[in-house]
């Protein structure tokens, strides 16, 4: 199979050549030999990747396609779509990871030979990692393999045996093997007859067939070449991360810091289940243990498949993954896990209320149609061993809706609900709501005088859109939870946490919102903080007055300098241009585009990988490329060493040729940004290469640079004064209304 099966759009060509899309349009108009479209539409055509590469090289537009970009373009241009391409690449990378010599032998021949022999080799790797498919039926691959309609299997937890689920609509009830004995049990609503008309859970990963793999052969070879330098796991993380970034509205992600906190709350566990696994962030956060087994299920078949491959590349633990509606078609009905971690879908009305009325999982009451989250809570408890712990991310309404009060009351009475933690705004999507964590434990026996921990760490919310102070959140939550878990109670920590006897919450509302039950912060501390804020505000306002720019001197006539562009300066070696990465080493602070726009400290994170991040140095100029703002930030000593985040471009000027403050100042010109921007229906993107600045001697650059630096100091002082003013006003309102500040 030839590489020209891979197609690339105009946007992809622009990324390959490091230019804007307008340049690609100009090339198509000016050059008669520019490759003709081979697909797409009239307004959004696609081109053969190999033809485009050849043309770019002939015309000196491209010396060599970067390997990472080549592989990515092969993936997004795959004839069967990027998800199928990711599955094929993930299977091949798992083979490379587990049996590299087998891959070397297979890849030595033609693409046709590789495609013909690869399914058998993949089966030798996938079967031990994910379990066997009964009867050799590989056509139910989800996705990445054709065929539908045959019975499908799900691996059982303990024995590795399989359970055949009848197709949706078949007569009788689907049968599953229980993990302990392998005996067959009927998995249908208690008291109901016949099968539930719901698609059965399917095993997540199957070896792709030879014909399906033939179109992927160039992609697999490119991925293998990339893995030789960065590793198989890191290569898959890069490709999956780019795919998730390119389709942000299709996936709800669990931030890595939140996933780590949830795993820490659950504690060490040998068997861990995530019944709504998404992209696998929660299972990846589980602390590794010898003999560990991970169980994953998701209603989206592509996510279940990609997560299974991601986990298999991430950990030596056994991976059991299935695709299917967890509440209607549970893939692991006999599982009793040590821990359940779950970020369930919120506010689902069609969760199975009508079909599942007699399901034995509803030990604490049948959830109302509007209480899908309480169905997930009870599913998690049903899959725990006695004494096992579940941690679920919940919407705050689940703690107080009247329709769920009876279930909440029974969870409290029987000691199943152990803690409710209110997180800061911005902890996870939807970012404008302070979500909750529920910590549950399957009771071994009913406690005599149960208490429940209530905590609120909203005070650790970050500024702007930078996200919470996760270190502060983690320290406060884990310290309170571990102390409560040891003693069964917790002394009051004003404004943060307390434990309450369950009997005090069993009123008509059974309202578990932590903020309604926590004592306010100590009055002395609150008044002291406000005094400090007022003092800092006064100092900042005086500084702002001192830094206010002097009246501007008019220049007549306006100067007409010879101009150059950032792109020309980069080609001439006057500056180095780098873009933000998609991964990096753990615990490296990340400078995000929101940090640059708001002038705050690095606050972000990147997916952990062995990819080398772009680290900032003093004197670098960082420019956001999205949003349409005229912003450029000069990196100082406090920001140096941070990793460059997504949607940022770093310019590192040669100090013998360019003053960094001169560069940053002229890049912020409104007219300059307007001429270098392109506009879509919902976003503005800046082509940094097209930004202009005058050609001036270095001494003259320093004069302008000093003035731009003074403006930057004035701007920072204004921002700090605004934040302190808001903090003082908010604190005064709170103090006057809660009695911690006297009115006179």
């Amino acid at each position: 199979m030839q590489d020209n099966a891979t197609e690339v759009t105009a946007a992809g060509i622009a990324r390959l050549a490091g230019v804007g899309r307008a340049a690609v349009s100009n090339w198509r108009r000016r050059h008669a030999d520019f490759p003709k479209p081979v697909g797409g539409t009239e307004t959004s055509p696609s081109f053969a990747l190999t033809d485009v590469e050849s043309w770019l090289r002939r015309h000196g537009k491209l010396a060599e396609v970067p390997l990472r970009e080549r592989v990515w373009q092969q993936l997004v241009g795959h004839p069967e779509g990027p998800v199928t391409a990711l599955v094929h690449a993930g299977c091949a990378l798992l083979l490379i990871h587990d049996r590299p010599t087998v891959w070397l032998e297979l890849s030595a021949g033609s693409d046709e030979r590789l495609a013909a022999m690869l399914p058998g080799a993949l089966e030798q790797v996938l079967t031990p990692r994910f379990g066997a498919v009964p009867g050799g039926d590989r056509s139910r691959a989800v996705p990445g393999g054709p065929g539908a309609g045959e019975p499908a299997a799900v691996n059982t937890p303990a024995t590795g045996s399989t359970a055949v689920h009848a197709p949706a609509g078949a007569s009788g009830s689907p049968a599953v093997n229980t993990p302990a004995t392998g005996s067959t049990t009927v998995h249908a609503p208690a008291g109901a007859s016949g099968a539930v008309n719901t698609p059965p859970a399917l095993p997540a990963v199957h070896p792709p067939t030879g014909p399906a793999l033939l179109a992927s052969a160039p992609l697999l070879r490119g991925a293998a070449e990339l893995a030789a330098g960065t590793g198989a796991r890191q290569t898959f993380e890069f490709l999956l991360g780019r795919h998730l970034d390119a389709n942000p509205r299709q996936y709800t992600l669990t931030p890595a810091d939140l996933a780590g906190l949830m795993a820490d709350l659950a504690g060490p566990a040998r068997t861990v289940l995530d019944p709504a696994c998404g992209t696998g962030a929660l299972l990846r956060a589980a602390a590794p243990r010898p003999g560990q087994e991970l169980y994953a299920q998701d209603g989206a078949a592509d996510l279940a498949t990609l997560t299974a491959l991601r986990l298999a590349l991430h950990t030596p633990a056994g991976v059991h993954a299935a695709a299917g509606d967890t509440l209607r078609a549970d893939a692991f009905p006999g599982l009793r896990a040590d821990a359940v971690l779950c970020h369930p879908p919120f506010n689902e009305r069609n969760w199975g209320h009508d079909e599942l009325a007699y399901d034995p999982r509803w030990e604490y009451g049948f959830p109302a149609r509007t209480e899908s989250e309480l169905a997930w809570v009870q599913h998690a408890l049903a899959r725990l061993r006695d004494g096992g712990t579940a941690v679920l991310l919940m919407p705050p309404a689940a703690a107080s809706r009247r329709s769920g009060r009876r279930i909440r009351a029974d969870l409290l009475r029987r000691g199943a609900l152990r803690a409710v933690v209110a997180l800061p705004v911005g902890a996870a999507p939807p970012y404008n709501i302070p979500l909750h964590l529920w910590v549950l434990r399957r009771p071994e026996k009913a406690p005599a005088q149960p208490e429940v921990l209530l905590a609120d760490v909203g005070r650790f919310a970050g500024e702007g859109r930078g996200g919470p102070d996760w270190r502060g959140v983690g320290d406060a939550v884990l310290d309170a939870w571990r102390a409560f878990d040891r003693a069964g109670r917790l002394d009051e920590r004003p404004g943060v946490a307390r434990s309450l006897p369950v009997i005090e919450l069993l009123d008509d509302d059974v309202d578990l919102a932590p903020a309604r039950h926590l004592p306010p912060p100590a009055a002395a501390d609150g008044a002291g903080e406000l005094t400090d804020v007022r003092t800092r505000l006064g100092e900042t306002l005086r500084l702002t007055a001192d830094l206010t720019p002097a009246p501007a001197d008019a220049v007549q006539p306006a100067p007409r300098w010879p101009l150059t562009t950032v792109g020309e300066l980069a080609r001439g070696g006057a500056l180095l241009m780098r873009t933000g990465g998609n991964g990096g080493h753990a615990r490296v602070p990340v400078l995000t585009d929101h940090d640059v726009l708001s002038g705050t400290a690095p606050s972000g994170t990147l997916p952990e990988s062995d990819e080398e991040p772009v680290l900032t140095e003093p004197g670098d100029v960082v420019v956001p490329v999205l949003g349409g703002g005229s912003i450029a930030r000069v990196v100082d000593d406090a920001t140096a060493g941070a990793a460059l985040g997504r949607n940022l471009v770093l310019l590192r000027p040669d100090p013998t040729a360019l003053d960094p403050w001169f560069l940053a100042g002229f890049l912020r010109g409104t007219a300059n940004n307007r001429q270098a921007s392109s506009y879509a229906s919902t976003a503005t993107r800046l082509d940094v290469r097209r930004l202009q600045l005058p050609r001036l001697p270095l001494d003259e650059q320093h004069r302008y640079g000093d003035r731009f630096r003074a403006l930057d100091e004035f701007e920072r002082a204004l921002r700090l004064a605004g934040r302190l003013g808001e903090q003082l006003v908010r604190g005064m309102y709170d103090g006057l209304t809660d009695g911690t500040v006297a009115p006179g």
Side-chain angles (χ1 to χ4, degrees), residues 581-657:
N582 291 279
H585 301 302
R587 297 191 176 92
V588 174
V590 176
L591 184 68
T592 70
D593 53 346
H594 304 306
D595 299 330
V596 175
L597 292 170
S598 60
T600 54
S603 64
T605 59
L606 289 174
E608 182 181 351
S609 74
D610 288 342
E611 175 186 347
E612 286 296 326
V614 179
L615 299 181
T616 58
E617 297 179 1
D620 290 345
V621 177
V622 180
V623 184
V625 297
L626 295 180
S630 303
I631 294 294
R633 177 172 175 178
V634 179
V635 174
D636 56 16
D637 291 334
T639 308
L644 191 68
R646 302 182 184 95
N647 301 320
L648 290 175
V649 171
L650 179 145
L651 305 176
R652 182 166 295 159
D654 179 352
T656 64

Side-chain angles (χ1 to χ4, degrees), residues 232-295:
R233 178 174 70 87
Q234 292 77 12
T235 298
F236 189 70
E237 286 294 317
F238 160 69
L239 295 174
L240 178 60
R242 284 281 292 264
H243 175 68
L244 297 177
D245 287 344
N247 301 276
R249 297 184 180 180
Q250 294 184 25
Y251 306 102
T252 299
L253 305 182
T254 306
D257 291 299
L258 175 59
L261 174 60
M262 293 173 67
D264 288 341
L265 284 168
R270 194 185 71 83
T271 55
V272 188
L273 166 69
D274 185 348
C277 63
T279 59
L282 291 173
L283 290 174
R284 292 178 73 240
R289 296 192 67 188
Q292 191 172 56
E293 301 288 326
L294 303 178
Y295 297 85

Side-chain angles (χ1 to χ4, degrees), residues 423-500:
L423 296 169
V425 171
Y431 289 106
N432 61 329
I433 297 175
L435 301 177
H436 287 181
L437 290 178
W438 285 25
V439 183
L440 304 112
R441 184 162 288 159
R442 185 169 181 83
E444 298 181 84
K445 61 180 181 179
Q449 294 180 325
E451 295 198 6
V452 63
L453 174 67
L454 300 176
D456 189 333
V457 288
R459 63 170 61 183
F460 296 104
E463 297 178 346
R465 297 171 61 186
D469 172 9
W470 280 111
R471 177 171 295 179
V473 170
D475 290 345
V477 171
L478 293 174
D479 184 54
W481 165 248
R482 288 165 180 165
F484 169 78
D485 197 32
R486 286 192 302 269
R489 62 180 305 278
L490 183 74
D491 293 334
E492 288 186 1
R493 301 183 179 184
V496 177
R498 72 183 297 193
S499 65
L500 279 177

Side-chain angles (χ1 to χ4, degrees), residues 355-422:
E355 305 100 307
L356 302 174
Y358 301 100
D359 196 289
R361 288 173 290 183
W362 316 142
E363 297 180 50
Y364 302 88
F366 180 42
R369 189 183 302 276
T370 56
E371 294 288 352
S372 63
E373 296 86 6
L374 294 182
W376 286 97
V377 164
Q378 295 190 76
H379 174 82
L381 285 166
R383 295 296 160 263
L384 284 173
R385 63 164 176 81
D386 290 347
T389 302
V391 184
L392 283 83
L393 185 67
M394 301 283 281
S400 56
R401 279 190 299 240
R402 287 188 61 81
S403 55
R405 66 189 186 279
R406 292 180 180 175
I407 294 177
R408 293 196 299 272
D410 208 30
L411 290 168
L412 290 172
R413 286 192 197 96
R414 296 170 60 180
L417 181 57
R418 307 296 294 135
V420 176
V421 178

Side-chain angles (χ1 to χ4, degrees), residues 280-377:
L282 291 173
L283 290 174
R284 292 178 73 240
R289 296 192 67 188
Q292 191 172 56
E293 301 288 326
L294 303 178
Y295 297 85
Q297 184 171 353
D298 199 275
D302 57 344
L303 279 182
T305 306
L306 295 175
T307 293
L309 292 167
R310 189 183 198 188
L311 291 172
L313 284 162
H314 176 74
T315 174
V319 176
H320 311 267
D325 186 322
T326 296
L327 296 181
R328 290 185 174 93
D330 182 14
F332 311 111
L335 176 64
R336 296 296 177 264
D338 297 323
V340 175
L341 302 172
C342 186
H343 177 176
F346 297 161
N347 302 318
E348 280 197 330
R349 296 301 179 95
N350 184 28
W351 58 267
H353 178 272
D354 295 336
E355 305 100 307
L356 302 174
Y358 301 100
D359 196 289
R361 288 173 290 183
W362 316 142
E363 297 180 50
Y364 302 88
F366 180 42
R369 189 183 302 276
T370 56
E371 294 288 352
S372 63
E373 296 86 6
L374 294 182
W376 286 97
V377 164

